[in-house]
Amino acid sequence: MTQLRRPLTDAERLDWIRLIRTENVGPITFHRLMEQYGSAAKALEMLPELARRGGRPKPLRITSKAEAEREMQANRRFGAQLLCACEPDYPEPLAAVDDAPPVISVAGHAHLLRRRAVAIVGARNASLNGKKFAESLARELGTAGLLVVSGLARGIDTAAHAGSLASGTAAVLAGGIDVVYPPENEDLYRDIVAQGVVVAESAIGTQPQARHFPRRNRLISGLSLGVLVVEAALRSGSLITARMALEQGREVMAVPGSPLDPRCHGTNNLLRQGATLVERADDVLRAIENLRPPMLAERQRDLFSAPLHTPAPAAEPDESDLAKARALVLENLGHSPVTIDELVRGCQLSAPVVLTVVLELELAGRVQRLPGHQVSLA
Amino acid sequence: MTQLRRPLTDAERLDWIRLIRTENVGPITFHRLMEQYGSAAKALEMLPELARRGGRPKPLRITSKAEAEREMQANRRFGAQLLCACEPDYPEPLAAVDDAPPVISVAGHAHLLRRRAVAIVGARNASLNGKKFAESLARELGTAGLLVVSGLARGIDTAAHAGSLASGTAAVLAGGIDVVYPPENEDLYRDIVAQGVVVAESAIGTQPQARHFPRRNRLISGLSLGVLVVEAALRSGSLITARMALEQGREVMAVPGSPLDPRCHGTNNLLRQGATLVERADDVLRAIENLRPPMLAERQRDLFSAPLHTPAPAAEPDESDLAKARALVLENLGHSPVTIDELVRGCQLSAPVVLTVVLELELAGRVQRLPGHQVSLA
C-alpha cells in the first residue's frame, strides 16, 4: 500500500455527509457500511433495503443531496472546512479511533492539527489554583511546540485555552462549529478561531445537548497523544475523557490534589489507578516524548484505502438464514448492553452474519450502538 | 526453636547497656559482637583487644558498671522501662530491623507497643489543612484499633499525636526519654506519657542533636507496619523516614497535594515512585490489612536466641592473616561509603575476615558504619 489516504472529490464528500447525517447511522455503523459496500454512494443505495430487512415499518429518512449541499455551503460561508476521515488533512490520531467521526468541521488554522497534541481538561468549577496551574502548564506545553486541546468549557478548559492561545490551541465543540457554548466564552471562541483551531463533529448550526458532550470528549482524547486531567470530582465529565483516552490507547495523566477538596477526588483516583502524576510541564513532555501518533488501525487502513480503489462487496448470506439469525439476535438482546463478541457467542452464529443483522436492526432503529463495541435494544 | 526471646536478668541487662553505650559501638556493631561472642559480657571482655588490634592508640573507654547502673536507676526513677532487643516486650517489628536499637527506654503504657502500628509523619511547617487531615486520619486509625506512631515534632507529628491521644499514640524521641523537644510540646509529651507511650533510643538525659533525628526516624518506621507521609517538601526529614520504611520492607504511603505547594512536592514524589495514595483512613487500613508484623530475620533469631543458650564463639582467623587483611581493607576504604559486599569483593578476602577487621577498625575509631550496610574511613 503506497498511498493510504486521499482527498475526496466534492461528489464523494457529499455522499459521506449524506450517509453520516442519515438517521440511525452513527460512526461505527458508517465505518461498517464502508467496509461492507466500499463507498458511501453504494452504502446510501443499500440503506432502504437494509433498514427494511431489519424490520423498519416506514422507510428510512435518508439525508438528501440538497441537505448535504446546504451543510457544505453553510460551512464554506462560515469559513469552516469539512474533513473526511480518509483525507490526508484529517488528524491522524483521530482517524485511528474506532468510532472516528466520519466528517468534522474545522475553523481557524487547520494546519495546527498536524502538531503533536496533548489535551488538558478538568472541572468547570475549578479552584483558582487549579485554573492558574492549567493556564501556566498550557503555556509551557505550547511553548514546547505542542498543540493544547480542550473543550471550551468553564474552568480548567478555559484556562488551558487561554494559556496556549498564542502558541497553538484547539477547541473541540459539542454542538456545531458555529455554536458557542457556554455563551460567556464567545470572546475566547473568537480568539481561538483567529489564532488557534476549532473542531466540531455535529452538523453546523446544531445546538449542543447533554448527549453530545461525552461524544465530544472522545474527540478531545482522540486528537491527542495524552490527556491531562487537572482537578475533577468523582463521576465528572473529565473522567469520561480520561476513560476514552485509555480505551484509545492514549496516555492518561493527572495532577494530584488535596484529599480535602472534592474537586481532586477524581484526579487522585486516576493516580491510584496508575495515571502519570503531573506536577510540571516537564512531566507531560517526558510522558509523551516517546509516543508516536497512533497509526491507522489495520481495519481502518483497509476501510479508508483499498475499498475506495477496489470496491469488493462482501458475499451476502442467504435471506432465509438471515431471517433466522435476526430472530436469534433479537432474542439474545435486551436493554442492558452486551458486546458484539458476547452476542456472537450467545447466538452461535458467525461474526459476519451477526454484524450484518445488527447493522440492519440498527438502521431499522431497533438496536442501538453503545461505547465499547456494545449494543442493546433501542 | 521453641522460645526465641526471653527476658534478661538485671546483670545481663547491665552488660547490654555497658556494651551499647561504649564509644564506637553502634547497633550494627553491637549485633555483630553478639553474633561473634554470644553474650554482651564476653563482648565487653573482648573489646580492648579488638580495638587494639584495629590500631587504636589509647585504650577504648568502656562504659563502667557504675555508669550503666546509674542509667538503669535514672530510668527507674523517671518511671521508664528499659527493654532489650531480645526481650519479649521489645516491639517485634522493631526487633526485625537490621540496626534495631539494642536497648530502648519506654515511658507510659508499654503494652500499646503490642498493637499493630502505623506511622504518620510530615512537615513541621505544615498547612492548616495538612494538620487537620493528619489529626482526623489519626483519630480514625486509632479508633480502628491501630497504634499511631510519630516523632513529637511540630506540624503533622503534633496533629497525628493529638488525633490519636485517646485511642493510642506512640512518640519516638531523638534525645533521652526525659528530654522534650521541641519544648513547646511539653504538654503534649505529658499527655502522651499519661495516655500513650514514649520511646527513646538515646540514654536518659541526652539532649537531642541534629544527627539523632535521622536515627530516630528508623525507629518510627521500624515500630510500624507502614509510614504515611502527610505533606513533605523535597529533601525533608519525613522522606528519610519513608526511605527507611522502604529499606525495612514496610508500606510507604503518601497523601497527594497541589503541585503549587512546595510542602507537597516530597509526597507527590513518593506517589510517583509508587507509594500508596491515601485520601482517607480506609486507604491506610486496606494497605496494611494483609501485612503481618515483620518476623525477626533469620540472622537475628540466631543472634537473640541460640547463642544466649549455647554460646559458641566463632573460630578466629590467625593474627598474621588479620594484619594483612587489615592493611588491605584500609587500602580499599576511602571517605566515600562503600557497601560491605563491595569491600569483600574489592579485597578478595572472605566475608568473615572482612567483618572481623571492620569490627576492629570501627572499635578503634578508624572506620564508621553508615546506613545501608555501608562503611567508610572515619
Side-chain angles (χ1 to χ4, degrees):
Chain A
M1 289 188 244
T2 47
Q3 175 56 46
L4 300 179
R5 310 170 85 189
R6 65 172 181 89
L8 294 182
T9 63
D10 272 358
E12 284 171 325
R13 194 185 320 277
L14 199 75
D15 288 338
W16 278 57
I17 295 171
R18 290 183 66 199
L19 185 54
I20 188 59
R21 301 298 179 221
T22 287
E23 62 175 335
N24 301 339
V25 177
I28 294 276
T29 312
F30 181 98
H31 298 312
R32 178 90 194 106
L33 285 165
M34 291 296 285
E35 207 168 344
Q36 189 87 358
Y37 301 107
S39 74
K42 176 71 180 163
L44 285 164
E45 206 176 288
M46 296 300 293
L47 281 183
E49 171 61 9
L50 291 170
R52 194 198 53 71
R53 288 211 305 243
R56 189 179 169 85
K58 54 173 188 167
L60 193 69
R61 218 197 65 73
I62 294 173
T63 298
S64 68
K65 278 194 180 177
E67 287 166 303
E69 184 54 58
R70 274 199 294 280
E71 181 175 341
M72 285 175 74
Q73 275 166 357
N75 272 282
R76 224 174 288 134
R77 266 200 310 277
F78 184 74
Q81 193 181 347
L82 284 170
L83 288 176
C84 296
C86 67
E87 296 190 293
D89 285 345
Y90 188 97
E92 195 168 350
L94 185 58
V97 169
D98 267 351
D99 53 353
V103 181
I104 54 174
S105 295
V106 177
H109 302 271
H111 69 87
L112 288 172
L113 296 173
R114 293 203 197 111
R115 288 205 195 153
R116 289 168 67 79
V118 68
I120 300 181
V121 299
R124 287 191 298 277
N125 68 337
S127 71
L128 274 178
N129 273 340
K131 289 187 272 192
K132 184 174 141 191
F133 180 87
E135 179 161 353
S136 85
L137 200 87
R139 179 168 294 115
E140 291 177 64
L141 293 176
T143 307
L146 291 171
L147 174 69
V148 173
V149 181
S150 198
L152 200 74
R154 291 184 196 94
I156 299 298
D157 287 21
T158 294
H161 288 305
S164 56
L165 192 56
S167 53
T169 203
V172 186
L173 307 184
I177 191 79
D178 56 341
V179 181
V180 184
Y181 183 86
E184 70 202 64
N185 272 349
E186 179 74 40
D187 285 350
L188 178 60
Y189 169 87
R190 280 184 214 283
D191 288 344
I192 298 176
V193 171
Q195 299 179 65
V197 61
V198 178
V199 176
E201 175 181 19
S202 301
I204 191 164
T206 308
Q207 289 298 322
Q209 289 163 21
R211 67 189 162 85
H212 290 133
F213 290 90
R215 291 180 54 202
R216 184 274 310 266
N217 292 353
R218 87 187 195 287
L219 268 75
I220 293 179
S221 53
L223 285 165
S224 310
L225 294 168
V227 170
L228 171 65
V229 187
V230 184
E231 289 190 355
L234 294 172
R235 285 172 297 279
S236 63
S238 308
L239 298 187
I240 297 180
T241 313
R243 184 164 52 73
M244 286 175 171
L246 201 66
E247 285 173 7
Q248 294 166 355
R250 313 302 161 92
E251 185 75 18
V252 177
M253 299 166 279
V255 179
S258 167
L260 297 176
D261 188 339
R263 288 172 293 201
C264 302
H265 290 173
T267 37
N268 287 341
N269 224 22
L270 288 175
L271 293 172
R272 210 190 280 276
Q273 290 162 12
T276 300
L277 189 148
V278 168
E279 289 186 291
R280 56 194 89 85
D282 208 44
D283 296 329
V284 176
L285 296 174
R286 247 180 300 127
I288 65 166
E289 72 183 345
N290 293 319
L291 301 180
R292 293 285 148 257
M295 302 308 289
L296 287 174
E298 204 60 41
R299 192 192 64 74
Q300 288 169 306
R301 198 174 294 148
D302 295 347
L303 162 61
F304 290 142
S305 54
L308 290 173
H309 301 285
T310 56
E316 298 259 327
D318 173 71
E319 173 52 30
S320 79
D321 288 350
L322 278 180
K324 278 181 229 150
R326 209 171 287 132
L328 202 52
V329 163
L330 283 170
E331 196 184 300
N332 274 276
L333 278 178
H335 292 282
S336 322
V338 293
T339 65
I340 293 281
D341 284 352
E342 288 165 342
L343 189 60
V344 166
R345 278 198 301 275
C347 294
Q348 300 199 286
L349 291 168
S350 75
V353 166
V354 171
L355 287 171
T356 299
V357 166
V358 166
L359 182 66
E360 292 167 2
L361 292 171
E362 195 190 1
L363 291 170
R366 298 168 71 186
V367 157
Q368 64 184 349
R369 301 247 177 207
L370 297 150
H373 302 285
Q374 296 189 114
V375 285
S376 74
L377 290 183
Chain B
M1 288 189 247
T2 45
Q3 174 57 47
L4 301 179
R5 309 169 88 188
R6 63 172 183 90
L8 294 182
T9 64
D10 272 358
E12 284 172 323
R13 194 186 319 277
L14 200 74
D15 289 337
W16 278 58
I17 295 171
R18 289 183 66 199
L19 186 54
I20 188 58
R21 300 300 180 221
T22 287
E23 62 175 336
N24 300 339
V25 177
I28 294 276
T29 312
F30 182 97
H31 298 312
R32 178 90 193 105
L33 285 164
M34 291 296 285
E35 206 167 345
Q36 189 86 356
Y37 301 108
S39 74
K42 177 68 180 164
L44 284 164
E45 205 177 287
M46 295 301 294
L47 281 183
E49 171 61 8
L50 291 170
R52 194 198 53 73
R53 289 211 305 245
R56 188 179 170 85
K58 54 172 189 169
L60 193 68
R61 219 195 66 71
I62 295 173
T63 298
S64 68
K65 279 194 177 174
E67 287 167 303
E69 184 55 57
R70 273 199 295 279
E71 181 174 342
M72 284 175 74
Q73 276 166 359
N75 272 282
R76 223 173 289 136
R77 265 199 311 275
F78 185 75
Q81 192 180 349
L82 285 170
L83 289 176
C84 296
C86 66
E87 295 190 294
D89 284 346
Y90 188 98
E92 196 168 351
L94 186 58
V97 169
D98 267 349
D99 53 354
V103 181
I104 54 173
S105 295
V106 177
H109 302 272
H111 68 88
L112 289 173
L113 296 173
R114 294 204 197 109
R115 287 204 195 154
R116 289 167 67 80
V118 68
I120 301 182
V121 298
R124 287 190 298 275
N125 67 336
S127 70
L128 274 178
N129 272 341
K131 289 186 274 191
K132 182 173 143 192
F133 181 87
E135 179 162 352
S136 86
L137 200 85
R139 179 169 294 114
E140 290 176 66
L141 293 176
T143 306
L146 291 170
L147 174 69
V148 174
V149 181
S150 197
L152 200 73
R154 290 186 195 93
I156 298 298
D157 287 20
T158 294
H161 289 305
S164 55
L165 193 55
S167 53
T169 202
V172 186
L173 309 183
I177 192 79
D178 56 340
V179 181
V180 184
Y181 183 86
E184 71 202 63
N185 272 349
E186 179 74 40
D187 285 351
L188 178 59
Y189 170 87
R190 280 185 214 282
D191 288 344
I192 298 176
V193 171
Q195 299 179 65
V197 61
V198 179
V199 177
E201 175 182 20
S202 302
I204 189 164
T206 307
Q207 290 297 322
Q209 289 164 21
R211 67 188 161 85
H212 290 133
F213 290 90
R215 291 180 55 204
R216 185 271 312 264
N217 292 353
R218 87 185 195 288
L219 269 74
I220 293 179
S221 53
L223 285 165
S224 310
L225 294 168
V227 170
L228 170 65
V229 187
V230 185
E231 288 191 355
L234 293 174
R235 284 172 298 279
S236 63
S238 308
L239 299 187
I240 297 181
T241 313
R243 185 165 51 74
M244 287 175 171
L246 201 66
E247 285 173 6
Q248 294 165 356
R250 312 303 161 92
E251 185 74 19
V252 177
M253 298 166 279
V255 179
S258 166
L260 297 176
D261 189 340
R263 288 173 292 202
C264 302
H265 289 173
T267 35
N268 287 341
N269 225 22
L270 287 175
L271 293 173
R272 210 190 280 276
Q273 290 161 15
T276 300
L277 190 147
V278 169
E279 289 186 292
R280 57 195 89 86
D282 207 45
D283 296 328
V284 175
L285 296 174
R286 247 181 299 127
I288 64 165
E289 71 183 345
N290 292 319
L291 301 180
R292 292 286 147 256
M295 301 309 289
L296 287 174
E298 206 56 44
R299 191 191 66 72
Q300 288 169 307
R301 198 172 297 151
D302 294 347
L303 163 61
F304 291 142
S305 54
L308 289 173
H309 300 288
T310 56
E316 297 261 323
D318 173 70
E319 172 53 30
S320 79
D321 287 352
L322 277 180
K324 277 181 230 152
R326 208 170 288 133
L328 202 52
V329 164
L330 283 170
E331 197 182 300
N332 273 276
L333 279 178
H335 292 282
S336 322
V338 293
T339 66
I340 294 280
D341 283 353
E342 288 165 342
L343 190 61
V344 166
R345 277 199 301 275
C347 294
Q348 299 199 287
L349 291 168
S350 75
V353 166
V354 170
L355 287 171
T356 300
V357 165
V358 166
L359 182 65
E360 293 167 1
L361 292 170
E362 195 191 3
L363 290 170
R366 297 168 72 186
V367 157
Q368 62 184 349
R369 303 249 176 203
L370 298 149
H373 301 285
Q374 295 189 114
V375 285
S376 73
L377 290 183

